[in-house]
């Protein structure tokens, strides 16, 4: 039997997924290119690539593969999965994930603009925040995608339980989490900032 005859055909399901995989990779690659053009550091200026960095009030925060804020991006995925199901429930999982990727990538770009970085410094406890490394931004996007996938597989009650548990645990550990981050970014409260500064 010839080599050509032995090749198994691509399954229809895999063939349907391929455009979405390519689109997702293209969106992430374009995001990395935009962040690079904005002057973001590819990796931590310290020159190291670490799996985990746990010191929030540190120049290396948001520079490595994961940190306390990775939980927030996982919850982003939960929220995007729920929101796209509510609004676009006739769409398949793949196009909904592509939409979530677009939103998350857009946020990573906006979050790393000079205006937002300065706003973080003025209104939150992140006084030394200098933006994310590109590596950290791409990792954040990956955590969102994992959260989206998990939410698509788990029961709603369990997804909510995990999200609440993460928020409470991270809030206890660093006096910050997704809810507090959004609050302090949009409606800064001096009393909350003072409390967070005592961590």
């Amino acid at each position: 039997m010839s080599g050509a005859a032995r090749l198994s055909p691509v399954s229809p399901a895999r063939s349907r997924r391929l455009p979405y995989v390519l689109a997702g990779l293209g969106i992430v690659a374009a995001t990395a290119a935009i962040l690079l053009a904005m002057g973001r550091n590819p990796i931590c200026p310290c020159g190291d690539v670490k799996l985990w960095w746990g010191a929030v009030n540190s120049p290396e925060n948001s520079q490595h593969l994961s940190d306390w804020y990775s939980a927030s991006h996982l919850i982003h995925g939960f929220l995007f999965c729920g929101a796209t199901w509510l609004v676009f429930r006739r769409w398949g999982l793949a196009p909904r994930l592509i939409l979530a990727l677009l939103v998350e990538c857009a946020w990573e770009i906006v979050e790393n603009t000079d205006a937002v970085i300065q706003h973080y410094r003025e209104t939150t406890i992140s006084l030394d925040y200098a933006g994310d490394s590109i590596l950290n931004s791409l990792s954040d996007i990956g955590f969102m995608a994992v959260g989206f996938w998990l939410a698509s597989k788990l029961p709603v009650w369990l997804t909510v339980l995990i999200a609440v548990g993460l928020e409470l645990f991270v809030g206890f550990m660093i006096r910050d989490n997704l809810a507090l981050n959004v609050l302090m970014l949009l409606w800064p409260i001096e009393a909350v900032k003072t409390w967070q500064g005592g961590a």
Side-chain angles (χ1 to χ4, degrees), residues 51-53 61-62 64-77 104 136 139-147 166-167 170 174 178:
L51 180 62
W52 165 261
W53 184 260
N61 191 49
S62 296
H64 298 288
L65 283 166
S66 62
D67 50 47
W68 288 110
Y69 294 101
S70 300
S72 294
H73 292 277
L74 195 73
I75 296 171
H76 285 182
E104 183 76 1
N136 182 262
S139 182
D140 288 345
I141 294 165
F143 274 103
M144 185 284 298
V146 170
L166 285 172
E167 283 286 88
V170 174
I174 65 170
L178 178 59

Side-chain angles (χ1 to χ4, degrees), residues 78 81 93 96 145-156 158-159:
F78 293 171
C81 185
L93 185 67
R96 287 167 45 217
V146 170
F148 190 102
W149 178 81
L150 283 173
S152 74
K153 301 297 183 183
L154 297 175
V156 173
L158 183 55
T159 303

